[in-house]
Amino acid sequence: MAGRNSANPRKPPGKKRVSAADAARIEQIFARLAASNPEPKGELFYINPYTLLVAVVLSAQATDAGVNKATPALFAQADTPEKMVALGEDRVREAIKTIGLFRTKAKNVVALSQLLIERHGGEVPRNREALIALPGVGRKTANVVLNIAFGQPTIAVDTHIFRVSNRLPIAKGKTPDAVEKGLEAVIPEKYLLHAHHWLILHGRYICKARKPECGRCVLYELCRFKDKTA
């Protein structure tokens, strides 16, 4: 990105203007998350960008753990679009039958594989618009693939990020798109690449929906959630 904004040295031009106190607090939130987990990783099993794309499509309305039980055997048979198309919808459906919505997902996996071959030479595209044009791929899925496979500083707002961002809060919003834009506007640039994983993991294991484990939270003093526990 271009040079720094002199009014806020931690933000590149175009970033949302926030008070010095809010900017310092957000800086501290991500500094603490970074210190507690310097190299956060996604929890889905994958082999290459293509299998990552398939795994993320399969994870919609399902848990990563549940997806990981089915995908190793599937990817052992088909780790490229060509192999997946050759495997066929019936066999893909059988391989992922333990995952919710498996019939629709099997159809989408084979269809997106065919389009990858026809439109992209069998390669996973590196831009959001091309990814979203594939069956079963929405903005969140595209952002996950761009972030993990290609190192782009995208933020895929799932239920965990939506909750954590509104609860702490970092960026409030009534929709995932609003939260995504809000986070991109206030997170210091140096933390953007890993912000997605830090927030997901924090929501999954600490800032849980029903019973947040505030006693183990490294962000306790920075959190403004009115119902946080001692």
Side-chain angles (χ1 to χ4, degrees), residues 31 49 53 77-78 81 177 187:
L53 172 61
Q77 300 176 77
D177 283 354
I187 296 174

Side-chain angles (χ1 to χ4, degrees), residues 30-150:
F30 286 95
R32 292 189 185 189
L33 291 173
S36 65
N37 189 1
E39 294 292 334
K41 303 293 183 184
E43 296 184 324
L44 283 172
F45 170 75
Y46 70 97
I47 300 167
N48 52 34
Y50 169 71
T51 53
L52 173 64
L53 172 61
V54 172
V56 180
V57 168
L58 295 178
S59 72
Q61 296 179 278
T63 65
D64 288 1
V67 173
N68 287 344
K69 291 179 181 178
T71 50
L74 174 64
F75 296 155
Q77 300 176 77
D79 59 359
T80 68
E82 293 81 2
K83 292 178 182 178
M84 193 70 74
V85 170
L87 194 61
E89 187 177 328
D90 288 347
R91 293 170 68 188
V92 172
R93 186 167 55 244
E94 182 65 21
I96 66 169
K97 64 183 179 182
T98 58
I99 301 173
L101 305 175
F102 69 94
R103 292 181 178 85
T104 298
K105 290 177 180 179
K107 182 178 180 179
N108 285 337
V109 165
V110 174
L112 74 83
S113 300
Q114 185 64 50
L115 286 181
L116 286 176
I117 296 168
E118 294 174 1
R119 297 178 181 178
H120 305 287
E123 299 295 324
V124 176
R126 295 171 177 251
N127 70 83
R128 185 183 290 117
E129 291 72 22
L131 284 167
I132 291 176
L134 299 171
V137 179
R139 185 179 181 88
K140 183 177 74 172
T141 295
N143 282 349
V144 172
V145 173
L146 293 174
N147 182 274
I148 298 176
F150 303 122

Side-chain angles (χ1 to χ4, degrees), residues 13-33:
K15 286 287 189 178
K16 180 179 178 181
R17 291 179 178 273
V18 296
S19 70
D22 284 340
R25 175 176 167 274
I26 292 169
E27 168 79 29
Q28 274 298 304
I29 285 173
F30 286 95
R32 292 189 185 189
L33 291 173

